[in-house]
Amino acid sequence: MRETIRCAVMGLGRLGYWHADNLASKVKGAKLVCVADTVAVQAERTARELGLDRWTKDPESLFTDPDIDALVIATPTGTHAEMAIKAAEHGKHIFVEKPLTRHLEEADAVIEAIREHGVLCQVGFMRRFDPAYAEAKRRIAAGDIGKPVYFKAVSRDPVSPPAQFIKNSGGMFLDMAIHDYDAARFLMGAEACSVAAHGSVLVNEFMERLGDVDQSLTYLTFDSGAAGDIESSRIALYGYDIRAEVIGTEGTIVVGSLRHHDVKILTPKGGLHDIVPAFPERFRDAFQLEMQHYIDCLRSGERPAVTEEDGKAALEIAAAAQLAFETGSKVELSELRRRDTK
Ligand SMILES: NC(=O)c1ccc[n+]([C@@H]2O[C@H](COP(=O)([O-])OP(=O)(O)OC[C@H]3O[C@@H](n4cnc5c(N)ncnc54)[C@H](O)[C@@H]3O)[C@@H](O)[C@H]2O)c1
């Protein structure tokens, strides 16, 4: 068992900052050595706020740094493949934000590099570590709702990220619905076999020009005979609304609620409660727990619970959903894999 894992975080935007903060002071067995962002001011400010004496605007320098055991990649999606492959080639363990890569061929190259160089990799599907999702999984596995036959998920963001982010995100199926594709595999204990998808631009007109949508629906069938639907939205002004439901042959399990604090205001006009505002508030514990799991695995040498293969499996569903949306036809995953290997 190794005492300490020396880490660096690359990309310090909406998410990278939280990973750096967790590694700096909240995750046992981790030492945050350096933070990196191509925008120097971002790296310098993060280092100052977290009390680190090292930061860099040259992420490349971290691959060859002998003081670093593990890299956390929270850079834009289009950079994940190159970063992960370089990390593996230099013997660094990898935590990579979702999605694993932007394209399926890149995912294969990442998996190959990880195998060849014998490093460990965890993908940032933090919902698996959220106490509510984890408890739902435990109860389903214990047989409390019988055989899972239907998965339903709602993921709604209050507003869209800016056009610059959307442009490089890979689109709603890859960037957003992918969390639910992974949650579906996790909770149903089954693999998706066909995907149908619809999408519309309802509010954010700039998405038309970027070929993206702000509302979508994915319909899945699973190899267990189960089915499911996933609604994704970037127009839920009221807050960050994340829910999932698994219907079983003997009961149903419902995950998530809108309420942020457990407080109600009652007046003669009626009752009010607040609403979860955004992802850092909803998944704060999950981000910390997923990072603790990653560090625990690196210390003991065990494979993380969410690997590069899980990253690829969710990516396949996202690629199938994108194709189904574009063609208007249902896509069989077996067919997508045949094309991928041609
Ligand atoms: N798990 C989740 O719920 C979740 C939530 C948000 C984002 N993400 C993922 O995290 C990744 C980053 O998203 P974000 O919202 O934090 O983006 P962001 O745009 O807020 O931040 C990205 C940061 O990376 C920096 N950067 C760009 N290229 C770089 C490079 N080559 N090396 C180092 N730094 C670089 C940018 O300057 C910026 O500070 C994306 O892949 C996204 O899909 C995951």
Side-chain angles (χ1 to χ4, degrees):
M1 183 88 164
R2 288 192 52 180
E3 190 71 18
T4 307
I5 304 297
R6 299 162 303 171
C7 307
V9 177
M10 306 163 91
L12 302 165
R14 286 191 308 165
L15 201 65
Y17 182 89
W18 291 108
H19 290 319
D21 185 40
N22 282 330
L23 286 166
S25 57
K26 300 184 181 80
V27 172
K28 271 199 303 201
K31 179 172 166 46
L32 183 61
V33 175
C34 188
V35 286
D37 198 296
T38 40
V39 176
V41 65
Q42 193 93 331
E44 188 276 329
R45 187 181 339 120
T46 306
R48 186 166 20 90
E49 285 180 15
L50 300 180
L52 290 181
D53 51 17
R54 275 190 64 192
W55 60 269
T56 178
K57 67 180 174 81
D58 173 23
E60 295 287 322
S61 64
L62 301 179
F63 295 116
T64 51
D65 189 325
D67 279 339
I68 292 168
D69 306 310
L71 290 170
V72 172
I73 301 168
T75 50
T77 295
T79 66
H80 290 186
E82 191 189 340
M83 297 268 186
I85 290 170
K86 277 190 190 159
E89 284 171 351
H90 288 90
K92 310 291 184 205
H93 300 296
I94 301 159
F95 179 98
V96 56
E97 257 314 320
K98 51 55 60 176
L100 173 62
T101 58
R102 176 115 185 222
H103 302 289
L104 272 174
E105 321 79 79
E106 294 171 331
D108 290 330
V110 169
I111 290 171
E112 205 179 300
I114 287 169
R115 282 201 193 126
E116 190 182 337
H117 298 281
V119 295
L120 296 173
C121 175
Q122 182 170 325
V123 178
F125 287 128
M126 78 294 181
R127 289 191 193 179
R128 293 189 184 215
F129 298 89
D130 174 68
Y133 280 84
E135 176 65 2
K137 172 73 182 175
R138 194 185 68 74
R139 300 293 292 256
I140 293 167
D144 290 0
I145 60 163
K147 179 177 178 322
V149 290
Y150 199 83
F151 175 81
K152 191 166 189 69
V154 169
S155 287
R156 298 185 189 149
D157 265 341
V159 290
S160 167
Q164 187 56 31
F165 178 91
I166 293 292
K167 195 172 139 195
N168 299 315
S169 70
M172 180 176 254
F173 300 104
L174 179 73
D175 181 61
M176 186 173 182
I178 200 161
H179 277 298
D180 288 308
Y181 302 151
D182 182 66
R185 296 181 60 243
F186 177 59
L187 292 178
M188 300 298 283
E191 296 298 337
C193 46
S194 79
V195 182
H198 300 279
S200 314
V201 176
L202 298 181
V203 172
N204 296 277
E205 284 169 11
F206 72 89
M207 289 197 183
E208 299 268 13
R209 122 181 99 76
L210 300 177
D212 202 355
V213 293
D214 57 14
Q215 192 280 336
S216 72
L217 192 64
T218 311
Y219 186 80
L220 300 174
T221 63
F222 296 89
D223 57 5
S224 60
D229 71 82
I230 291 164
E231 182 206 309
S232 315
S233 161
R234 300 214 198 250
I235 60 168
L237 277 185
Y238 58 87
Y240 185 61
D241 187 0
I242 305 292
R243 288 171 275 150
E245 200 171 331
V246 176
I247 299 174
T249 49
E250 289 167 38
T252 293
I253 195 155
V254 179
V255 185
S257 97
L258 269 179
R259 184 175 293 190
H260 184 25
H261 296 101
D262 191 9
V263 168
K264 245 186 291 183
I265 298 174
L266 305 174
T267 73
K269 289 186 191 147
L272 275 179
H273 66 77
D274 65 1
I275 294 178
V276 179
F279 72 84
E281 289 81 2
R282 171 65 184 84
F283 288 115
R284 191 181 304 271
D285 291 347
F287 288 129
Q288 186 179 333
L289 290 165
E290 73 172 348
M291 203 49 79
Q292 187 64 64
H293 175 77
Y294 175 58
I295 295 299
D296 289 347
C297 287
L298 298 194
R299 290 179 72 201
S300 65
E302 271 166 54
R303 267 194 112 191
V306 203
T307 63
E308 60 281 8
E309 267 102 19
D310 293 304
K312 183 182 170 191
L315 190 65
E316 279 182 339
I317 303 175
Q322 183 67 36
L323 186 62
F325 163 64
E326 285 168 8
T327 59
S329 306
K330 186 168 85 170
V331 173
E332 301 292 334
L333 280 169
S334 53
E335 175 57 25
L336 189 81
R337 283 184 202 117
R338 263 199 297 279
R339 288 187 200 192
D340 187 35
T341 50
K342 271 184 197 161

